[in-house]
Structure formats: C-alpha cells, structure tokens
Amino acid sequence: NNTNSNSTLLQRAHDYMKQSLTSSFVGYEIAVQEGLIDGYGVDSNGLSLPNSHDMHFGWRDVLECAADAYLEVHGDDGDVAGGVGGAGGRSSLKAIRLPGNVLETRGLDVAREVHSYLKEGGAEEGLTSFTNDQSDALLVRQKQKLRKLRNVLPESLDVCVTRPLTAYPYGGTGVGPTSTPGLAENGGGGSTLVSTPPSFLNGQNGNTSGISGSDGKNIDATHPIRILDYQIEAASASSFQEPALLWSNQHYNQHGLRPGAYQPILNAALSHFDADAILEASRERELTVEERETLDGCKLLRDMLHDLDASLDNMKSFGAYEDYLVNAAVPLIHGSFEELDEESAGMLQLFFRVHGMAVRMVVARWTRDLLLAGWKIGDSLQEEEEEDVARKEKDVDQERVMAKVWKDLGFGDFAGGYEIEEDVTLQEFALKHLLKEDAVRSLVVGCSRPEHVLEAMRAADSSLDSDGESKR
C-alpha cells in the first residue's frame, strides 16, 4: 500500500531526527556537567507547524530528547532520584525558539502548552489538545513516557518568539491547501517530502481572496506579510520645507489612502511620455527609425504607468513590488530606450518614488484590514466615571471575507480579528500583543535601522507590569 509506505518513510525520518537531536543534547549535557555552559536550547520552525505537516517537530519530542540525553549522561531513574549530575537532577534544556505572530498563532499555542505542561508538573489534562489526540498510539506512549520522566524534565522553559512582525503562508514551507500531507512520488520510483508551492502562490488557484500576481499582489514563501506601518512623506506647507514623515496609519487618517503628490506626478509622467511632438511629425512626414523606436518606447512606458496605477489597490506585498521593479520594470525601461535624457530619467525616478509610497500605504492598509477582520474602531467616547472607551462595531461581511483569506494563507484557526486602534502602528500593536503573553519570555525582532530598535523598546516598555518591571 503506497499510503502506508509513505507513512512509514515519514516516521523513519522523524525517528532519525529525534536520534540526531538526542545525540546533540548528550554533548550539551556533558558540557554542562564539565562547567563549560549553563544550558542549551532549540530553535526550530517545525515547532510551530501543525501536527499533520511533514516538517512538524513537536515540543514533546524536544522534551523526550532532552530527558533521554540527561539519562544517558547521568544514569538511570535511580541515579536521577538521587540527584546525580551537574544539572541538579534535571535536564539542562533552558529554552526553545519558534516563529509566532498575530497571524501565525500556532507558535503562541505551543508556547502556552509548554508553559502549562511544565507548570503543572507534566499534567496533560489542562492542555487544549489533550482530548483531540488520544487516538494516536505513538503520542499516547510518548505522553506516558514523559510522565514517568517528569522528575528529570526542566521545571520551566524560556519560550522565545522569532519573526514577530513577519508572517509566512503555511509557515513558509510551500505546502498549501491542495498538497497532501506526507510524501509524494518523485517520478523516479521513490518518494520525497512534499515541497511544491501551493497553486495560489502562482496565481493559478482561482480562489477569491485576490492573492495572486507577480507585481506586488502576491503573498508567498519569499514575499510574506510584513506586520507594520511605513513612514510616508506628507505634503509640507511650504515648498522650502522638507516633507514631514507620517506613519501610514496617521497619513490615512489625516490625508487619505493616496499621498497628496501621487496623482499630479502620475499625470505629469503620462504627459511627459505622450510623444506628442513625434505624433505631430508623423502626420507631415515619415518618421525616422529612431523616432519610431522612441514612439514605441513611450507607448510601452505609458502602458506600464497605467498598469501600475490600475493595480495599486490590489497590492499586498511591498517586497514583491520591489522585485517586480528590479526584474520587470527596469529591464522594460532599458529595453525601450538606449539612453534616457536627464529630464525623462528624473521624471521616472519621481514617479517611482511617489508610487512606492502609495504601494506602502495600500499594503499597510490591507494588512490592517486583514488583522481587524471586520472590526471598525472609532473615536473614543467618555463613559460616566470611567476611562475613554473606543467605539467599535463588527462588519460581518468583511469578517467573512478576511476569514477566507486567513484560511487561504494557512494561518490556522481564524480568531475573529483584533481590535487595533487607528493611532497605533501595526508593529507596536503586534509586539505589545506578544509581550502580554505569560508564556512568552522574549521576542527576536529584526532591526535594520536604529529607529526600529527604539520602536521595539517602546513596545517592551509598554508591557511593564504594575510594579514597573518587565520579564523580557
């Protein structure tokens, strides 16, 4: 039976991974015993993947490997009971790191389960998954083994969440809704792990979520969702002043979805490349080869500008848009003209600068709408003898649309959206939300600019407890 064969191969791969991890842990336990290190940890995307995924590696697997490694270094159960070893009778596993954010919520579920499991001394009954996986014989045996070894398991683990502002469809693995969990035939008489990108990533699935295309409209393993607002140039009161920088959420509230300079600059660019002089000349004489090439090039550029403008409201990824510019737009310009005059080059630079800001606005707004999932947060109103409370209501139709997008992108169970106030940037909200989780010890935030560090620090400061202390 082909299905059974694939399942067996996958189980063998899983067992090999556990053996390799246990062997690594043995080396770390020896290093702890010799005083070279204080402990060790695991960083794996597989911890946040669903159980049915080929590349899933469960947190119980990590604990089992840690317990086995401890026993191999320090002795059997009898030795453990006597407190043998430099670890004081328990495994020196200290931390796990896994992906998690407000869209990829499985990582947070894992963090809560690990926290609850160790806090309760290895009790399974309080876990969300306890009643859902009792039919899995291997898992039941693993639970029984861990319960017997609970005295050598660490008393607690620091759970560190990675990429809190970057959400990948299906964990970035390329396994989508039409892929069969398990192994796939490779055409050579053998089997390989499923790794074919889901069809919707290539714009071929026919879904209604609008996640497709190749010019900024697609979300995929290389162009994930960035959970952040961007800084946008706002028109200044005087032409002698530098334009003020506003976060895209502030710009939307004060000036709308489009940068004020976008439409005038688009019109100027279209006018610049209308080639009216050449068209006039064509009515009186035959055009030269160079003039015909210039006319054709201008038409291509105008078509490109029209297409970029028409597709603006469908943008989902600024990274995909940048790739489109590098791989399609720039080659088109170079292929249309041997050389651009300074005025034409300046006009294109100005257009792409303001169009890039417009793309950032649309992308940030779409991301916020995805997270809101129908919630509409209005201005605050004063209730009697209470703090300001924001007005809010739910758009059920919008919730249904975004729930489908959430499902199409493989983000797990739809949670009903988040209540995000308009004056809060997406990155601030996302970091604060994660830092409020008791099960999360710390976050790893990628910071390419100094201001990114300051933003992360502000979010951490806002998560201080009532005593003014932070556990992060």
Side-chain angles (χ1 to χ4, degrees):
N1 186 296
N2 190 49
T3 302
N4 291 336
S5 175
N6 287 347
S7 178
T8 300
L9 287 171
L10 187 59
Q11 185 59 50
R12 286 170 57 188
H14 186 267
D15 291 343
Y16 177 78
M17 178 64 191
K18 287 176 64 176
Q19 292 170 9
S20 299
L21 190 62
T22 301
S23 177
S24 298
F25 284 177
V26 166
Y28 292 135
E29 288 289 351
I30 293 173
V32 171
Q33 188 179 43
E34 294 177 353
L36 299 176
I37 60 175
D38 294 327
Y40 56 91
V42 174
D43 185 340
S44 173
N45 287 357
L47 291 167
S48 294
L49 295 174
N51 296 350
S52 59
H53 198 288
D54 294 345
M55 299 173 68
H56 168 76
F57 196 77
W59 58 268
R60 292 185 184 87
D61 294 322
V62 175
L63 290 181
E64 183 182 0
C65 292
D68 288 345
Y70 179 87
L71 294 179
E72 184 171 335
V73 174
H74 298 291
D76 58 21
D77 288 342
D79 293 330
V80 171
V84 176
R90 291 185 180 272
S91 165
S92 296
L93 178 67
K94 301 293 186 183
I96 60 173
R97 299 205 319 183
L98 45 76
N101 48 68
V102 290
L103 288 171
E104 293 179 281
T105 58
R106 292 191 189 94
L108 303 183
D109 292 337
V110 171
R112 296 185 194 106
E113 288 210 346
V114 172
H115 179 74
S116 176
Y117 180 82
L118 295 177
K119 183 178 180 180
E120 298 301 324
E124 292 274 357
E125 288 76 4
L127 303 185
T128 305
S129 62
F130 177 70
T131 59
N132 299 329
D133 49 24
Q134 299 307 300
S135 60
D136 188 330
L138 290 175
L139 185 56
V140 170
R141 287 199 295 271
Q142 183 183 56
K143 291 178 178 181
Q144 293 171 345
K145 177 181 177 180
L146 288 175
R147 189 162 186 83
K148 291 179 181 179
L149 298 176
R150 61 186 181 276
N151 290 332
V152 303
L153 294 177
E155 293 182 333
S156 64
L157 282 179
D158 288 344
V159 179
C160 177
V161 171
T162 60
R163 54 178 177 80
L165 301 178
T166 305
Y168 284 89
Y170 291 88
T173 63
V175 177
T178 59
S179 301
T180 303
L183 298 171
E185 295 300 320
N186 59 20
S191 299
T192 57
L193 290 176
V194 172
S195 60
T196 304
S199 57
F200 77 85
L201 301 184
N202 300 321
Q204 301 168 350
N205 65 320
N207 71 34
T208 58
S209 63
I211 315 291
S212 62
S214 59
D215 57 1
K217 299 189 289 293
N218 62 322
I219 299 294
D220 55 33
T222 57
H223 303 117
I225 295 175
R226 305 293 184 185
I227 308 168
L228 49 84
D229 278 289
Y230 299 88
Q231 287 193 312
I232 306 296
E233 292 181 6
S236 59
S238 169
S239 59
F240 298 102
Q241 295 177 340
E242 285 291 325
L245 289 177
L246 296 177
W247 289 110
S248 45
N249 60 315
Q250 297 173 323
H251 190 286
Y252 179 81
N253 294 327
Q254 296 179 23
H255 305 289
L257 189 59
R258 295 283 190 271
Y262 175 73
Q263 196 61 48
I265 291 177
L266 171 63
N267 293 338
L270 291 171
S271 177
H272 181 81
F273 292 104
D274 59 14
D276 278 347
I278 298 178
L279 289 174
E280 281 290 332
S282 68
R283 298 187 183 99
E284 301 174 359
R285 60 176 173 83
E286 186 176 347
L287 298 179
T288 65
V289 174
E290 183 179 353
E291 287 174 328
R292 286 198 299 269
E293 289 178 349
T294 300
L295 187 62
D296 291 341
C298 286
K299 183 180 184 305
L300 283 173
L301 284 182
R302 283 173 59 86
D303 289 344
M304 181 186 70
L305 297 179
H306 279 300
D307 289 344
L308 287 172
D309 178 58
S311 63
L312 189 54
D313 287 331
N314 295 321
M315 295 292 180
K316 308 284 190 302
S317 167
F318 187 74
Y321 167 74
E322 287 184 311
D323 283 352
Y324 167 77
L325 295 184
V326 172
N327 298 317
V330 173
L332 174 64
I333 294 170
H334 282 294
S336 302
F337 299 94
E338 290 186 5
E339 185 178 357
L340 281 173
D341 61 87
E342 186 175 344
E343 184 180 0
S344 297
M347 179 57 68
L348 285 176
Q349 289 176 354
L350 187 60
F351 168 78
F352 282 117
R353 177 179 177 180
V354 72
H355 189 266
M357 287 190 288
V359 171
R360 290 181 178 92
M361 285 293 304
V362 172
V363 169
R365 200 68 218 171
W366 177 81
T367 305
R368 184 176 291 263
D369 287 342
L370 177 62
L371 292 171
L372 287 168
W375 280 112
K376 295 183 181 298
I377 311 298
D379 297 330
S380 296
L381 54 89
Q382 183 74 32
E383 294 191 353
E384 292 184 7
E385 300 181 358
E386 294 185 9
E387 297 180 353
D388 286 352
V389 178
R391 291 195 298 264
K392 56 186 180 181
E393 58 183 26
K394 196 67 175 284
D395 184 333
V396 179
D397 292 334
Q398 177 74 351
E399 180 183 30
R400 190 178 299 111
V401 170
M402 289 305 176
K404 185 181 186 311
V405 176
W406 192 295
K407 180 180 179 181
D408 287 343
L409 294 174
F411 288 139
D413 296 332
F414 178 65
Y418 298 95
E419 299 176 24
I420 311 173
E421 295 186 13
E422 283 291 342
D423 60 349
V424 177
T425 63
L426 294 178
Q427 54 266 45
E428 181 181 358
F429 168 79
L431 294 176
K432 283 182 179 179
H433 181 83
L434 296 176
L435 289 170
K436 289 178 181 177
E437 286 283 347
D438 290 336
V440 175
R441 176 61 180 172
S442 59
L443 306 178
V444 176
V445 185
C447 298
S448 58
R449 296 180 180 178
E451 55 264 31
H452 295 168
V453 179
L454 297 177
E455 290 174 45
M457 291 176 64
R458 281 194 293 269
D461 288 343
S462 68
S463 69
L464 296 175
D465 59 26
S466 57
D467 296 325
E469 296 182 356
S470 175
K471 60 180 180 178
R472 314 302 173 193

